[in-house]
Structure formats: structure tokens, C-alpha cells
Amino acid sequence: MFCGDTLAVHDVFGLLGPSANYFCRICQISRDEFHSNPSSESDLRNREWYDKHLEAVQSKLISPKECGLKLSGCILNELSYFHITDNFNLDGMHDLAEGVVPLALQLVMAHYYKRKDLKINIQFINNRIKTFAYGYTDRHNKPSANFTHGMLTNPNKHKLKQTSAQILLLLRSFPFLFGHIVPPDCEMMVMVGHLINIVRIVFSPVVSQHLIYQLQEHLYYFEQTFFSTFQRRINKMHHLKHYALCIQKSGAMKQYNCMQFEQTNKVAKNQASTCKNFKNICHSLAKRQCTRMILNILDNPFCDKLVFTSVKIVVRNKCLSASLLEPTIEHVHVPKTAIMNGIEFRTNGVVALSRHDDNVFPAYGVIKEILIIDGKMHFLLELVETVCYNEFYEAYEVNTLHDNELFSSDSCFTHTVFSFWSPYGCLKKYVSRRFYNRDY
């Protein structure tokens, strides 16, 4: 598999740039076809099509702009088990987090901003973004409250200034931030809901035929509203049509998006920005990065990496979990926080349970205490009842049950910790999921 942003992939694959007439590396659609009918589909590119058109380009029977292939071709095609037409991979980070999502949110926000009956201004928008309680887990990715008049009155010239992680968080929280100012059946908010589900499926680590059907359904309704309301056409909107095929061919797209790669490069970027030695800087930084990767591999125990902070030895009857512990246990270790594979767990964080009592909705629990018993991490959880799935907020409505149970870390999904969200002026609690752990 080869993964990268559109410009880089086209360059490596020997394709004309994304601004060319034939801009898609998956199918043969032309720009004129896409603009005249954005929902149209075209034949896929395959080896036979590629060889035929590359030979025609190199023989000067046709020009590169007539098929989108450069004269040079792609040297990667000389590999035994790789061909660019078999690389069914699109990058969710650049297509969604840096493409479709910021564009859609900006246009929807501009639509609300221009409606006089809603009476919203820039100060109101920035204040809602700034004061919303995102929770401890998302504290590093809070969207910047930097909306301007130009962003909402002239979206063609002024883009949103948010990182990929900030955009994804802004998308999930969008109904919570602005849902109270629009009617419950607002078409724009329904469109945002479809986009939330598209992102959730694309970034999910699980794959199933049912989720693929859901993805196609959400894409259909999202495109219907977007193309009928807005006159914007970007390449990445077309890329979305191929995600279902890419998942069928290559598995979950989460494993191929560039977000993890860019996080890995962050250290080198920071070093480059502060480096005072400009002699062979690229070689030096690449060597450092390779050395760091080797050390990480050598130090990797190939099991869960667990780190505890401020661990106290507590007598059994002095801890909150006393009534749930075996009578033979005299002392337990109670850490203040626990970090498993980079995910921090602390009291009042919300975790998802791997059990599903009704097999319909996911189950959650609020961490009341973290314990280490026989070297294994356990949570004392206040159980949470999942009431329903709210399609307006695209989140699960929950109630705390005030019943405590002790769970081992194996009984919980340890990929993330959630926080309760509440809409403006409402006391109900919701859990907004980033992606799916299983097929609901």
C-alpha cells in the first residue's frame, strides 16, 4: 500500500496534478463530468487501461492531459506485487479532516450567519466554541475560537484555520454548539449528522459489510443536500464515492490515513524549526528519526505498555472498592492516573465496556477508582445506562445508575476515554463516539 496526500501520490504515481482534467487516481472521470453531475460514476482504472494509455502517451498518439498520465510512468509498477491501479487507498486525513469537513462546516456556518432570523454574530460563534465543556480527553484538540466575518461572508477566499484534530472535534461537537439556535428538522444540521457518521465509519478500526452499506447511505444523503445547496465542487468530494470500494478492497481505512505519519514527523519538524546548524539538515534529521524508531522497536516489549503515577498502598477497607474485593486481599495499590499505550485514565473519565447487555447500545462506566491487583489494572466503575441514540446530536443519551462494579481493563475498551457532553441549556448527558469498536 502507498499512502499520502493527493499531490504527493500523483507525483510518485506519475500522474498529472490534482488540477488536471483527469484528477482521480481510482476512476476515469473527467473534471467536466464531475462538475456537470457530481454524483456520476465512471469506469475504474485497471492495468489494461493504464498500459494502453501510457503506451499511447509515450508514442505521442495522445497527450498526457487526455488521460492524466505522465510520460515517465511510475517506477513502483516494476515491483512484483504492486501496481498503482491496485492501490485502493485514499487518505481520510487529507480528504476529510483537511478537505470536505472544514469546507462543509464553513458553508453551513456561513448559511446560518447570513440568516437574519437566527441573529447570530461572530462573537456568539466564537464564545460558544470557547466555552463549551469538551472534557479532559479532548482538551488538547479544542477548536480555536478564531472565526472572522470574512470566513463566513466570503468562504472562497478565507478558509478555516484549524488543525485536522481540531476540525474533527469541531464536527462532532457542532450539533451541541449550535443545535439550540436552529429548528429540530434543520436540513443543514441533518447534513452535518450524515458527515459525522461518514467520518466515524472511515476512521473506525472495524470493518463489516453492514458498516459499508451505512457509509454508502450517509454519503448519498450528504451529497444530495450539499450539491443541491452549495455550488462548491472539490476533488475530495469525488474521492468520497470510492471509500466503500477502498474498504472492501483494503480493509479499514484508519490504518492507512496520514495522521499517524504526521505525528511521527512532528519531532523532526520541531527540531528543524529550532536548529541552528544548517549543514546537511535533512540527512541529520532523517538519521535521528531512524535511530529513534530502532530504539523504540528494541525497547518494545510487544505487550500493553502500562505506566502508573502517584501509586499509594491502601488497606482494603479504606478504598472505595472494599466491598467488591476478595476478603483475602489485605492491601491494594491505588494510582492517581494510569496510562495504557498512551491513553490516560483518571477518575471521572468515561470508558466503554466490551459487554453489551441489550446487544443494541454500547455500555459505559464512570471511573471512580483505579486499582492494581496482582499486577493487573482494574476500574471501579459507576455504571451508565444508555437510554437511546439521538440522531440530532449523533450521540448516545445516557444516565448514571449509581451502581458500582469492579471491572478488569480487559473488560473495557482501552483505546480512548470519553467525557459527558451536554447541549446548551440542557442537563441531559451524551456520549459522542469518535468511531466504532463493533458493528452496531
Side-chain angles (χ1 to χ4, degrees):
M1 299 296 294
F2 188 95
C3 182
D5 63 62
T6 305
L7 194 62
V9 173
H10 277 241
D11 194 29
V12 173
F13 282 8
L15 308 176
L16 295 182
S19 59
N21 185 37
Y22 292 91
F23 60 90
C24 181
R25 60 183 183 269
I26 302 293
C27 73
Q28 305 172 33
I29 193 170
S30 67
R31 189 169 301 279
D32 291 338
E33 290 179 81
F34 174 58
H35 280 269
S36 61
N37 182 11
S39 300
S40 63
E41 298 183 6
S42 186
D43 293 336
L44 299 178
R45 298 186 178 197
N46 53 38
R47 296 194 185 203
E48 181 181 356
W49 174 92
Y50 179 86
D51 293 339
K52 174 184 175 182
H53 285 79
L54 182 61
E55 182 181 355
V57 169
Q58 293 175 339
S59 303
K60 298 184 179 180
L61 297 176
I62 61 174
S63 64
K65 66 180 182 181
E66 294 181 64
C67 61
L69 301 180
K70 294 181 181 177
L71 285 165
S72 59
C74 179
I75 195 172
L76 295 180
N77 289 337
E78 296 179 14
L79 295 170
S80 300
Y81 301 103
F82 182 86
H83 195 275
I84 65 170
T85 59
D86 296 328
N87 190 73
F88 289 96
N89 172 41
L90 293 167
D91 177 33
M93 174 190 167
H94 290 96
D95 285 343
L96 287 165
E98 294 188 358
V100 176
V101 175
L103 175 63
L105 291 183
Q106 186 177 12
L107 293 176
V108 170
M109 203 67 249
H111 172 79
Y112 291 151
Y113 184 68
K114 294 172 183 176
R115 282 183 55 175
K116 295 182 179 180
D117 58 315
L118 296 181
K119 298 179 181 179
I120 62 174
N121 53 36
I122 295 298
Q123 183 179 1
F124 166 81
I125 295 171
N126 287 330
N127 186 61
R128 289 293 298 129
I129 293 174
K130 186 178 181 179
T131 59
F132 183 73
Y134 298 96
Y136 184 83
T137 307
D138 295 307
R139 67 195 185 282
H140 295 307
N141 299 322
K142 290 181 181 179
S144 299
N146 57 7
F147 276 73
T148 63
H149 178 74
M151 289 180 183
L152 302 183
T153 57
N154 195 353
N156 291 332
K157 292 185 178 180
H158 302 274
K159 294 183 179 181
L160 298 186
K161 297 179 180 179
Q162 311 279 344
T163 65
S164 298
Q166 287 177 317
I167 281 293
L168 294 180
L169 180 56
L170 180 60
L171 173 66
R172 284 197 300 122
S173 59
F174 195 84
F176 289 86
L177 294 171
F178 307 110
H180 63 285
I181 66 171
V182 300
D185 58 347
C186 175
E187 187 180 36
M188 293 292 101
M189 199 62 75
V190 172
M191 185 188 76
V192 170
H194 289 303
L195 186 55
I196 290 174
N197 282 286
I198 291 168
V199 171
R200 187 179 287 165
I201 295 172
V202 169
F203 283 89
S204 289
V206 300
V207 175
S208 72
Q209 193 64 47
H210 178 57
L211 281 181
I212 293 175
Y213 289 147
Q214 283 190 356
L215 176 61
Q216 292 173 320
E217 182 179 339
H218 288 301
L219 280 171
Y220 173 79
Y221 288 115
F222 171 75
E223 289 180 348
Q224 289 292 310
T225 305
F226 186 91
F227 291 136
S228 63
T229 307
F230 307 113
Q231 299 304 313
R232 296 294 296 272
R233 307 286 187 267
I234 60 172
N235 297 353
K236 294 169 183 179
M237 291 292 299
H238 171 74
H239 288 174
L240 295 184
K241 298 188 72 66
H242 295 304
Y243 268 85
L245 175 64
C246 288
I247 293 174
Q248 288 175 322
K249 294 281 189 179
S250 308
M253 289 291 98
K254 180 179 174 63
Q255 60 190 328
Y256 302 123
N257 78 76
C258 287
M259 195 168 287
Q260 184 63 46
F261 303 146
E262 297 211 0
Q263 289 175 352
T264 304
N265 292 332
K266 187 176 181 180
V267 177
K269 289 167 66 177
N270 291 340
Q271 290 175 349
S273 64
T274 58
C275 183
K276 302 300 181 184
N277 179 10
F278 300 101
K279 184 177 180 180
N280 215 2
I281 184 172
C282 295
H283 178 268
S284 301
L285 292 175
K287 188 175 180 180
R288 279 190 176 201
Q289 188 175 37
C290 289
T291 303
R292 187 170 64 252
M293 291 168 64
I294 292 170
L295 290 174
N296 289 339
I297 293 173
L298 292 174
D299 293 339
N300 190 349
F302 296 98
C303 62
D304 290 330
K305 185 177 180 181
L306 195 57
V307 178
F308 301 105
T309 61
S310 303
V311 182
K312 294 182 180 180
I313 301 177
V314 180
V315 179
R316 180 175 64 87
N317 59 6
K318 296 291 184 180
C319 67
L320 298 177
S321 311
S323 62
L324 302 174
L325 295 174
E326 295 290 337
T328 55
I329 298 177
E330 297 181 358
H331 299 84
V332 292
H333 292 78
V334 180
K336 184 178 180 180
T337 62
I339 302 175
M340 177 180 281
N341 302 326
I343 305 299
E344 183 176 349
F345 299 88
R346 56 170 54 211
T347 55
N348 296 322
V350 182
V351 295
L353 304 179
S354 54
R355 77 177 193 186
H356 303 272
D357 296 332
D358 56 10
N359 206 32
V360 176
F361 298 130
Y364 299 96
V366 183
I367 299 175
K368 292 301 177 183
E369 189 176 50
I370 303 173
L371 301 95
I372 309 170
I373 304 174
D374 297 330
K376 195 167 188 61
M377 183 169 66
H378 291 72
F379 299 120
L380 176 66
L381 298 180
E382 181 181 12
L383 298 183
V384 173
E385 175 192 19
T386 306
V387 179
C388 65
Y389 184 79
N390 190 301
E391 293 186 353
F392 184 82
Y393 297 111
E394 297 297 344
Y396 293 99
E397 183 184 337
V398 296
N399 285 327
T400 52
L401 297 176
H402 305 294
D403 294 331
N404 293 343
E405 285 190 29
L406 194 64
F407 292 85
S408 71
S409 56
D410 294 336
S411 303
C412 308
F413 289 115
T414 55
H415 67 282
T416 189
V417 179
F418 301 92
S419 297
F420 289 136
W421 284 0
S422 296
Y424 179 79
C426 178
L427 297 179
K428 290 183 179 180
K429 297 177 181 178
Y430 294 87
V431 174
S432 175
R433 312 197 81 184
R434 297 172 184 83
F435 43 77
Y436 291 103
N437 299 103
R438 52 166 285 178
D439 181 14
Y440 289 104

